[in-house]
Amino acid sequence: GVITDPTLVSNHTYDYIIVGGGLTGLTVAGRLTENPNIQVLVIEAGNDDRTNPVVYDIYRYGDAFGTKLDWSYPADQGRSILAGKTLGGSSSINGAAWTRGLKQQYDSWLQLLDPADANSGWDWNGMFSYMKKAESFTPPNSGQLAKGANSISSYHGFTGPVHAAFPLYGLSSKLMYGGPQEPAFASVMVKFGLVKYKDLNGGTPNCVSFTPDSNGRAFVVNQPRGLGSPVILRVAYLSPVESQRKGWTTLVGQQVTKILFNPSTALPRVATGVQFGTSSGKRFTALARKEVILAAGAIGSPKVLQLSGIGDAAALSSLGIQSVVNLPTVGKNLQEQTLSALGAGGTNFNVGGSGPSDVIAYPNLYQLFGSQASAMVNHITQSISAWASSQAKSALSASALQTIFGIQANLIIQDNAPVAELFQVTNYPDKLGTIIWPLLPFSRGTVQITSSNPFVPPKTTVNYFSVDFDLSTQIAAARMVRRSFQTSPLSGLSTGETVPGFSTVPDDANHGSDANWTKWIKSQFSSVAHPIATCAMMSRSLGGVVDARLRVYDTQNVRVVDASIMPLQISAHLSSTLYGIAEKAADIIKSGL
Ligand SMILES: Cc1cc2nc3c(=O)[nH]c(=O)nc-3n(C[C@H](O)[C@H](O)[C@H](O)COP(=O)(O)OP(=O)(O)OC[C@H]3O[C@@H](n4cnc5c(N)ncnc54)[C@H](O)[C@@H]3O)c2cc1C
């Protein structure tokens, strides 16, 4: 069950201790405890807020931002990165869009691992089956089909714990929009050269598509199966089984402060358990017979490793932390995205409900940059080496980063990986809205503790826009949105762009100058909250922190299973992929590899 009293687990021994009861932590715990002989302790820093409407009503997710449900990790340029501090982690405060990346992006993970790991299954085929294992998809009904939803059944799983569907379930007033704005946006994107595709969840996201949402409506569908109460809404792996799984203990309201190691300094190092507590309270210890599994998220996990002595030995020693494994890339290779919202006033058409919004466009570089595309291809090819040098401090080395950037560039140039997301939104920031972000930034950042006090947030430096391609992509996406408001049939619904508007970014033959777009974007962008790669699954020679078995290098029994292991961004929202990673991680752990 879920408990709050730390003395109930203090000095007890479990087979596995999972640090973080978020998206991946609960998924792994749910699978490991299918075996009744296995004892798992999950320690979650946040509380059990499943009965809080801000958590169980996904349409209120924005109400969680900046509250005690959110870490709001401070970052550079005055930004902060939202992250759930509550049971369910960021899945409990997320927007629930359910999308998957490009096939070749998952295949590239193998390229970043040692050749000896060629059969490890970290590619599209392996990941697709695990993403489907996590999913219970409900195809659109006739009403939803009429509004533009569609699906391809072989792209989905139908028996997993996480429900995905088009908006219908849950609050009856919240349905797919029935007004003209979403189909009009899709038509304009087709005019801009994108294919309108039935379903972007099968590894081909370069399209405009109506997209489903995850678990927000799970309880309605599950009710007939006797699982029904709103509390399972966000925590598909836990709530339905929590009263039966005697081997699964979840302690909430306690933060893991470090991993404890066997004193023998011989490599690989052996973890024996964890220390945890609250900022004002006592520290406790719990012991792990088999493994300590980190699932604290892409900012939380490198922080715990560093606090435990795994990181850059020199930097840690300056904080008085004794080195356990000198692994300087812990917390490096951070990739996070930048968001802007554009809006236009609307004629008095009826939006047809209260949403949520459904349509996403994923243009590739050629579609986004149009006549400038070949210049941009040349620019990328010629700049990779300079970009790698400029970002080297946030990676193992310039040469490692150059290899990684080469793979990233190939995905963009050869495989048509979508480089930007354009998410049509009704009534934000005006009646017609589109939020945009570059998907595949070359800027690299770091997460680094600055104190041995675990309750001080780590220094998170994204280095937003430190590679010009990232800004150029955001500008090109903004221009595409501006043009969309001026293109029929969307233009027939628009009374003109209001955000940023022509007084802020005057229109011209080029749809606004680079200088004006830059000024506006830099003044108002926010962080998307998709941080990854801070404990990247890559070969050690490229700066990886975990191997293909998700084991931290030079440790015997410390694994990372969360967003920090993704080595490169994907052209998608992250959650479906992360459920797949965690499902695969659970099988790796069960097999004892
Ligand atoms: C605002 C927002 C909107 C999003 N929208 C979408 C969307 O629409 N679609 C989509 O697919 N994805 C979305 N995402 C992304 C997705 O939810 C996250 O990528 C995903 O939840 C990350 O999973 P994780 O397991 O790595 O980390 P998390 O789910 O964040 O879990 C980490 C957990 O560890 C806990 N923790 C951290 N440190 C410690 C410690 N020292 N001790 C104990 N516990 C600790 C945290 O409190 C948290 O519960 C969104 C994310 C956010 C924040």
Side-chain angles (χ1 to χ4, degrees):
V2 178
I3 59 170
T4 55
D5 180 355
T7 63
L8 296 175
V9 308
S10 175
N11 292 322
H12 287 228
T13 303
Y14 298 83
D15 293 304
Y16 300 95
I17 297 179
I18 300 181
V19 180
L23 186 155
T24 54
L26 292 179
T27 302
V28 171
R31 291 303 182 191
L32 293 180
T33 55
E34 286 172 347
N35 178 343
N37 299 318
I38 296 287
Q39 305 282 315
V40 173
L41 172 65
V42 177
I43 303 180
E44 165 55 41
N47 295 313
D48 178 358
D49 300 298
R50 285 176 289 175
T51 55
N52 181 342
V54 171
V55 168
Y56 74 71
D57 177 354
I58 68 153
Y59 305 112
R60 291 190 56 188
Y61 77 106
D63 294 347
F65 301 171
T67 70
K68 67 176 181 42
L69 303 170
D70 170 20
W71 291 88
S72 267
Y73 289 112
D76 48 324
Q77 299 182 32
R79 267 60 189 184
S80 57
I81 301 178
L82 303 172
K85 186 179 186 180
T86 177
L87 195 61
S90 298
S91 86
S92 291
I93 67 162
N94 79 10
W98 190 247
T99 71
R100 304 196 241 270
L102 179 80
K103 279 180 189 164
Q104 290 89 335
Q105 290 175 319
Y106 301 85
D107 290 340
S108 77
W109 297 359
L110 270 188
Q111 288 175 264
L112 295 162
L113 283 164
D114 280 323
D117 292 318
N119 295 323
S120 58
W122 289 109
D123 57 6
W124 169 256
N125 285 338
M127 280 297 297
F128 195 27
S129 59
Y130 279 111
M131 290 190 277
K132 290 196 276 194
K133 184 179 182 189
E135 180 183 20
S136 260
F137 182 68
T138 303
N141 62 24
S142 57
Q144 294 170 321
L145 287 164
K147 289 177 179 175
N150 218 322
S151 70
I152 294 172
S153 113
S154 61
Y155 289 3
H156 294 279
F158 295 91
T159 55
V162 183
H163 184 235
F166 286 89
L168 168 66
Y169 299 96
L171 308 180
S172 57
S173 60
K174 301 280 186 177
L175 303 171
M176 284 182 69
Y177 281 113
Q181 70 278 16
E182 294 189 338
F185 173 82
S187 301
V188 169
M189 290 300 135
V190 170
K191 285 191 177 172
F192 289 172
L194 278 79
V195 173
K196 182 165 181 250
Y197 195 51
K198 282 179 169 182
D199 191 330
L200 52 60
N201 274 304
T204 55
N206 180 202
C207 63
V208 57
S209 189
F210 282 70
T211 56
D213 294 334
S214 67
N215 63 16
R217 300 109 200 128
F219 70 98
V220 174
V221 163
N222 285 336
Q223 254 170 354
R225 295 192 220 147
L227 302 172
S229 103
V231 295
I232 69 164
L233 195 62
R234 288 294 189 154
V235 197
Y237 285 84
L238 171 64
S239 306
V241 298
E242 96 182 83
S243 59
Q244 300 134 39
R245 297 274 171 93
K246 302 297 173 217
W248 182 350
T249 304
T250 305
L251 173 67
V252 296
Q254 295 286 324
Q255 186 172 320
V256 171
T257 52
K258 66 171 167 183
I259 303 169
L260 303 169
F261 286 89
N262 185 307
S264 163
T265 54
L267 298 177
R269 296 294 301 255
V270 179
T272 55
V274 300
Q275 190 188 69
F276 60 92
T278 57
S279 58
S280 50
K282 232 179 109 180
R283 298 282 162 89
F284 302 90
T285 294
L287 302 169
R289 204 173 286 122
K290 293 185 186 296
E291 298 191 12
V292 172
I293 299 167
L294 286 175
I299 297 175
S301 285
K303 176 187 163 194
V304 171
L305 284 176
Q306 290 165 358
L307 286 166
S308 314
I310 301 183
D312 183 332
L316 296 180
S317 117
S318 72
L319 301 174
I321 296 172
Q322 202 188 343
S323 176
V324 169
V325 175
N326 184 17
L327 197 52
T329 50
V330 171
K332 295 195 175 184
N333 289 300
L334 171 65
Q335 293 153 59
E336 161 66 333
Q337 303 152 332
T338 50
L339 181 149
S340 299
L342 288 92
T347 58
N348 59 2
F349 68 89
N350 181 351
V351 299
S354 49
S357 298
D358 308 294
V359 193
I360 298 178
Y362 281 120
N364 63 37
L365 177 135
Y366 304 94
Q367 294 158 339
L368 191 70
F369 286 94
S371 61
Q372 303 301 310
S374 61
M376 189 47 78
V377 168
N378 288 337
H379 180 58
I380 295 173
T381 316
Q382 286 160 15
S383 305
I384 282 180
S385 150
W387 290 345
S389 301
S390 77
Q391 306 297 305
K393 274 202 250 149
S394 303
L396 175 66
S397 64
S399 73
L401 206 46
Q402 195 167 333
T403 304
I404 298 167
F405 281 0
I407 290 170
Q408 186 173 333
N410 263 338
L411 289 164
I412 294 171
I413 295 167
Q414 312 292 343
D415 298 321
N416 289 333
V419 290
E421 169 148 346
L422 279 65
F423 196 157
Q424 198 279 340
V425 180
T426 301
N427 287 330
Y428 177 81
D430 205 333
K431 189 163 179 183
L432 293 171
T434 304
I435 56 174
I436 56 167
W437 60 88
L439 291 157
L440 310 175
F442 283 92
S443 299
R444 292 296 190 269
T446 54
V447 173
Q448 183 65 47
I449 57 168
T450 57
S451 163
S452 58
N453 178 350
F455 298 96
V456 172
K459 183 166 185 226
T460 300
T461 312
V462 178
N463 292 313
Y464 302 103
F465 303 125
S466 57
V467 171
D468 58 55
F469 172 79
D470 305 346
L471 182 61
S472 302
T473 306
Q474 189 130 338
I475 292 173
R479 285 194 176 112
M480 189 179 248
V481 175
R482 168 167 285 187
R483 285 197 292 136
S484 78
F485 294 143
Q486 300 169 357
T487 304
S488 167
L490 214 46
S491 55
L493 305 176
S494 163
T495 55
E497 182 188 300
T498 52
V499 185
F502 294 168
S503 55
T504 303
V505 180
D507 209 19
D508 58 20
N510 204 20
H511 304 285
S513 69
D514 282 357
N516 284 325
W517 279 118
T518 298
K519 199 169 157 204
W520 177 68
I521 286 168
K522 288 196 170 173
S523 71
Q524 55 66 54
F525 80 89
S526 52
S527 226
V528 171
H530 286 170
I532 61 155
T534 49
C535 302
M537 177 181 67
M538 297 195 291
S539 68
R540 220 168 159 169
S541 60
L542 289 177
V545 169
V546 300
D547 63 17
R549 281 143 219 92
L550 303 176
R551 256 184 332 214
V552 175
Y553 287 113
D554 283 342
T555 73
Q556 186 170 299
N557 59 348
V558 180
R559 284 191 226 247
V560 187
V561 298
D562 59 29
S564 54
I565 70 107
M566 287 178 66
L568 285 173
Q569 281 289 0
I570 50 172
S571 303
H573 294 244
L574 298 184
S575 66
S576 166
T577 296
L578 290 170
Y579 283 116
I581 286 174
E583 286 278 8
K584 183 168 164 63
D587 271 359
I588 292 171
I589 295 164
K590 280 181 177 177
S591 73
L593 282 171

